[in-house]
Amino acid sequence: MDLSEVDLNLLVHLDVLLREQNVTKAANHLGITQPAMSNALKRLRVLFEDPLLVRTSDGMAPTVLALNLKPAVREILFNIEKVIQPERHFDLNSSRVFRIMASDYAESTLIPNVLSEVRKQSPNITLDILTPSDVSFEDVEQGRVDMAINRFDTLPQSFHQKTIWSDTFSCLMSPENSLVDDFNLDSYLQASHIWVSKTGFGVGVGVNPNDVQRLGWVDEALDKIGRKRSISVFTRHYQVAMLLAQQHDLVVTLPSRAAKLKAESSKLVVREPPFEIPAFDLKMAWSPLLHHNADHQWLRHLISDIASQES
């Protein structure tokens, strides 16, 4: 096929069609008629020798080829836009709203310093902090949410990502806890524990205490040495976990940066875990739709700079 025979506008149509998976919505997005969009889809099907979108009981769905084309088409269009559009810089007087999905851990340890620096550099900016339960992968992929900051097991291949920092684990407990002066693996396992975690996206479900593989780093690390702790309460909020740890007989094992927030508290003491727990990465992920956006680049660089200062 000769590239000169290909209408590059068709790639724009394809990009929107794959995003909306609806001919009418895609036409409205581009400001053209529904018949014109249907004609574009017909031409695309001939070009790629594939139906691209097929009708199902749930509406239009992309074919395997279409799913493989999606990130490549988006990258091609980004590169074209970057070439033909003049370089633009973020306006520090902007009143833009940035929507950030942040885990409770990230919100406690990172966001306060981000907000402080944002207010210094661009005081009219608004940060809208969402929880993992508020957001889906699609929200981030479509650019409805600017970025997600969390610990991720997996991310869609199309996402851009950057490691914010690596963190270890610490234990928090009341100074009245009998473990304070005799903190070892045996006493740790005899204690009652607070489990805390919320990773990934979407609405969470109840935890099965016997499903070690889904309990996370702490319990997987114990399982590797053939041990298991007794969990009395499960929570998804680090601040709540640290508050509960003030009870005289409870222990919470959580990321060290979160534990550091309570290091000066007279109601809690910090101890190193009596067994090895692998470190983990806090990551920032965003859509390819926003990768070259000047406003977005400014915020990403600001967050990265703050994180590097705290490492």
Side-chain angles (χ1 to χ4, degrees), residues 88-91 98 290-299:
R88 191 173 72 85
H89 297 284
F90 175 61
D91 179 7
F98 285 105
L290 296 170
H291 186 62
H292 297 297
N293 180 274
D295 298 2
H296 204 268
Q297 289 177 337
W298 173 82
L299 182 63

Side-chain angles (χ1 to χ4, degrees), residues 105-114 149 164-165 282 303 306-307:
Y105 161 70
E107 190 172 14
S108 298
T109 57
L110 176 66
I111 296 301
N113 289 334
V114 170
I149 303 176
I164 298 295
W165 60 48
L282 180 69
I303 292 173
I306 288 172

Side-chain angles (χ1 to χ4, degrees), residues 20-39:
E20 298 294 343
Q21 296 183 25
N22 182 288
V23 171
T24 302
K25 289 181 179 179
N28 291 337
H29 180 87
L30 290 176
I32 62 177
T33 65
Q34 191 270 343
M37 181 57 78
S38 294
N39 182 59

Side-chain angles (χ1 to χ4, degrees), residues 15 25 93 175 178 194 284:
D15 179 53
K25 289 181 179 179
N93 294 315
S178 60
I194 303 163
M284 172 170 58

Side-chain angles (χ1 to χ4, degrees), residues 210-250:
N210 296 316
D211 190 353
V212 172
Q213 297 304 314
R214 295 183 64 86
L215 290 181
W217 290 271
V218 177
D219 297 279
E220 288 181 12
L222 282 171
D223 186 60
K224 287 182 179 178
I225 59 174
R227 310 301 287 270
K228 183 178 180 180
R229 61 179 176 166
S230 175
I231 301 172
S232 295
V233 59
F234 293 85
T235 180
R236 280 75 179 166
H237 302 283
Y238 286 88
Q239 295 291 347
V240 171
M242 291 187 283
L243 182 64
L244 294 175
Q246 295 178 17
Q247 297 190 24
H248 74 279
D249 61 342
L250 289 174

Side-chain angles (χ1 to χ4, degrees), residues 12-186:
V12 177
H13 291 76
L14 178 59
D15 179 53
V16 178
L17 278 166
L18 294 180
R19 192 161 71 240
E20 298 294 343
Q21 296 183 25
N22 182 288
V23 171
T24 302
K25 289 181 179 179
N28 291 337
H29 180 87
L30 290 176
I32 62 177
T33 65
Q34 191 270 343
M37 181 57 78
S38 294
N39 182 59
L41 178 56
K42 186 182 300 184
R43 294 172 62 193
L44 284 163
R45 284 169 168 167
V46 172
L47 178 65
F48 288 102
E49 300 179 348
D50 187 89
L52 299 176
L53 290 171
V54 295
R55 193 172 299 281
T56 70
S57 59
D58 295 323
M60 300 291 281
T63 64
V64 173
L65 176 62
L67 290 173
N68 290 332
L69 285 172
K70 189 175 181 179
V73 169
R74 183 93 292 271
E75 188 66 26
I76 290 169
L77 293 176
F78 269 136
N79 289 333
I80 293 174
E81 290 169 2
K82 195 173 181 181
V83 169
I84 66 177
Q85 289 184 0
E87 185 176 356
R88 191 173 72 85
H89 297 284
F90 175 61
D91 179 7
L92 292 176
N93 294 315
S94 170
S95 57
R96 192 188 193 285
V97 176
F98 285 105
R99 290 184 171 83
I100 303 172
M101 186 286 275
S103 63
D104 183 62
Y105 161 70
E107 190 172 14
S108 298
T109 57
L110 176 66
I111 296 301
N113 289 334
V114 170
L115 176 60
S116 178
E117 192 61 31
V118 164
R119 296 185 70 191
K120 289 178 186 177
Q121 295 190 27
S122 186
N124 296 325
I125 287 295
T126 299
L127 298 184
D128 182 9
I129 310 300
L130 306 170
T131 72
S133 298
D134 296 326
V135 175
S136 67
F137 277 132
E138 184 182 4
D139 292 326
V140 178
E141 185 177 42
Q142 301 303 324
R144 292 190 289 268
V145 173
D146 288 283
M147 65 183 64
I149 303 176
N150 205 342
R151 297 173 286 166
F152 301 107
D153 293 328
T154 58
L155 282 169
Q157 190 175 7
S158 62
F159 280 26
H160 292 274
Q161 59 178 289
K162 180 179 177 62
T163 298
I164 298 295
W165 60 48
S166 293
D167 201 357
T168 57
F169 286 84
S170 296
C171 297
L172 280 180
M173 68 195 82
S174 165
E176 298 177 3
N177 195 310
S178 60
L179 273 67
V180 169
D181 297 323
D182 185 27
F183 194 58
N184 54 53
L185 181 59
D186 288 336

